Amino acid sequence: MIPKTEQKSADVLVLGGGMAGCMGACAAAMAGRSVVLVDKAWVGGSGESCFAAGDMLYFDPEQDSLQEWLERWNRNGNGMFDPEWMEWYAKSSTEIINMMNTWGMDFEKDADGRFKRKPGRGHNHAVVFPGFKMMRKLRARLEKLGVTIVDRVQVTDLLTNSGEVVGATGFHVRTGQFHIFHAKNTILSTGSCSFKGQYHGQDMESGEGNTMALRAGAEFTNMEFSNCYNSTARDFDICGMSRFQRLGGRFTNALGEAFMDRYDPVNKDGALLHILVRAMTTEVNEGRGPIYFNLKNMSAEDRELSYRIVPTFFAACKSCGIDPFEDSVEWIPGFMGSTSSGSGLTLKSFACDTTVPRLFASGDMANQGLLIGSIAGAGAVHLGWACISGFRAGEGAAKACEGTELLPLDEEQVEAVRKKTFAKLGHEGRLSIDEAIYRIQSCVIPAKYNIIRSGENLKEALTALDRIEEDIENEIIVRNTHELMLYHELCGMLTTARLTFTSALERKESRGSHYRTDYPEMKKEWNVWLKSKLKDGKIEITREPVQTEKFERYGLPVYPL
């Protein structure tokens, strides 16, 4: 029997308990607001933040030039970033990371007590720390601040009143208990969609937030760039690649050649991910595969530091009888979907509010392209964006509570959502959850859909998604509440894939992580941000010109040159 419904109310509701969600909850609570934080796992011990390499992009005003930062990220992102947002991020990182240092977070320091900074993909400016320790400490801080933490509840729907978000609903993934959350403002920090990719901590990143936001009328930006691939060992999960690529990591092909200088003569093995995985794919397609990776050139100091920062990588190597400092390991592109990509919900202001009233967004749910433009997987930006956007969203949501009433819930809407939430529980068919996941993955992971695209292949993928959705609706097997959770994750994956491919079909050029064989050049006419919304049940794409006057004001070139 499913337990009785539980309802909670607060000033600020935070959905998702990774780095972004925890920082948002901290900020709102520090501003004196009552806060409820909900996660489908255990806050502080789940999600990719716990397994991350622990690199966070940090601006040191005593050592760094803001202009150099702007020029670097404009160049990296092919002119698709926003210089005002990068300035906002740089200055916010100084303030917020120093504040976290006073909380006792485990940042690496030199003998003088200054942050140690290490290079990563696209930068030289990351503070480093063990992600798993930081997440545990963030949970402890939330508890001390009086935040109500609700673990193991999967949120499936946003509740609205006249187009404004007033809360959310979900169910306990073990007991099935239905939960109603009522709030003045809501922060969506549910993470990306990795389509259950093979990277540590990403097996639960399934895009449910995208489904909720799309249904509520929210707008997304540049979803064509939601095609991030990292690189990983063929036979086991790894993490820490941003660090390893810039600290001695070496890629070789089956001929023993260090091939990356052919594809990126400047950064070579430290190339940005979209360049790296396209190079790996090309090498294999031209008969020089498989690809191998090793850390033979890493210094003793960086080896010791890496052991502390990403112990899970070395535990995985040890379990396989591999010494990464001596052995070359077979390596493949590892699909991460919208993780650390230049896409997400459109943000209206530095308060991280979205196009839907009373809905804020942070982390991978928010448009990280404001910083990284058209690329994916930029080193240290991912965690930095989660931290900074999370805290600012918490501040923004807290401030927006001033003079704001708690709008009433629509009981008919709540009841309709309840029925929809449990509609598939007990459904009998011929399609297992695992088979459905595999079929969706088969539409997104192959190189022809996301590394080297074409209009024909994008249309093929969209057609296949329609067939898969129809089969899931009619034939899915859902025997218990755990499989009900997985069913709702399927819906998130379908939504994310559709947003990605519909936007990719619209952008008729190649730029950053979006490469099309039928439109292989980057063109000035496509200096636009593509906006996605739901209209009459279908995804509609509109164009918004990149604001070139901002680039002129900051003395930056407009790409392509």
Side-chain angles (χ1 to χ4, degrees), residues 29 75 131 133 141 155 190 223 238 300 305 326 332-333 353 355 367 370 379 394 435 438 498 500 518:
R75 181 173 61 251
K133 288 185 179 180
R141 184 162 186 84
V155 175
T190 50
M223 289 301 289
I238 66 99
L305 179 61
E326 296 296 333
I332 60 172
D353 48 334
T355 57
N367 175 25
L370 292 163
E435 184 181 354
Y438 179 77
R498 277 211 182 87
T500 301
D518 45 354

Side-chain angles (χ1 to χ4, degrees), residues 15 50 86 104 115 133 136 139 201 213 258 278 284 379 432 452 494 528:
L15 306 178
C50 290
M86 179 52 79
F115 291 134
K133 288 185 179 180
R136 293 299 178 97
R139 182 179 178 113
R278 201 173 299 146
V284 172
S432 70
I452 301 176
L494 287 168
V528 296

Side-chain angles (χ1 to χ4, degrees), residues 221-381:
T221 297
N222 289 351
M223 289 301 289
E224 66 272 24
F225 302 129
S226 295
N227 62 333
C228 183
Y229 289 76
N230 208 320
S231 68
T232 185
R234 188 194 68 176
D235 296 324
F236 58 91
D237 291 343
I238 66 99
C239 54
M241 282 307 296
S242 175
R243 157 181 308 284
F244 296 151
Q245 278 186 245
R246 288 292 304 277
L247 297 178
R250 177 65 59 88
F251 295 97
T252 56
N253 60 23
L255 303 177
E257 299 171 332
F259 58 87
M260 280 306 299
D261 58 338
R262 293 202 292 266
Y263 300 90
D264 189 337
V266 176
N267 296 304
K268 300 181 181 180
D269 293 289
L272 294 166
L273 285 181
H274 64 281
I275 298 172
L276 170 63
V277 298
R278 201 173 299 146
M280 295 172 70
T281 302
T282 301
E283 290 293 303
V284 172
N285 286 346
E286 295 182 357
R288 295 185 292 276
I291 306 301
Y292 297 92
F293 183 73
N294 66 68
L295 294 172
K296 296 176 183 179
N297 294 331
M298 181 176 277
S299 70
E301 177 189 353
D302 286 327
R303 292 184 185 194
E304 189 275 331
L305 179 61
S306 296
Y307 272 117
R308 295 202 308 273
I309 300 300
V310 282
T312 49
F313 169 78
F314 297 99
C317 289
K318 184 177 180 180
S319 70
C320 297
I322 293 169
D323 181 351
F325 301 120
E326 296 296 333
D327 304 325
S328 290
V329 181
E330 188 172 344
W331 224 247
I332 60 172
F335 189 57
M336 301 199 304
S338 64
T339 303
S340 191
S341 67
S343 59
L345 282 169
T346 301
L347 299 183
K348 292 172 58 181
S349 75
F350 295 146
C352 296
D353 48 334
T354 72
T355 57
V356 177
R358 301 185 186 233
L359 180 65
F360 297 72
S362 64
D364 274 326
M365 279 305 306
N367 175 25
Q368 194 173 187
L370 292 163
L371 303 186
I372 65 175
S374 63
I375 63 176
V381 178

Side-chain angles (χ1 to χ4, degrees), residues 13-17 36-40 43 148 150 153-155 181:
L13 170 65
V14 182
L15 306 178
V36 171
L37 172 62
V38 187
D39 190 82
K40 67 180 175 184
V43 175
T148 300
V150 181
V153 169
Q154 183 184 42
V155 175
F181 303 102

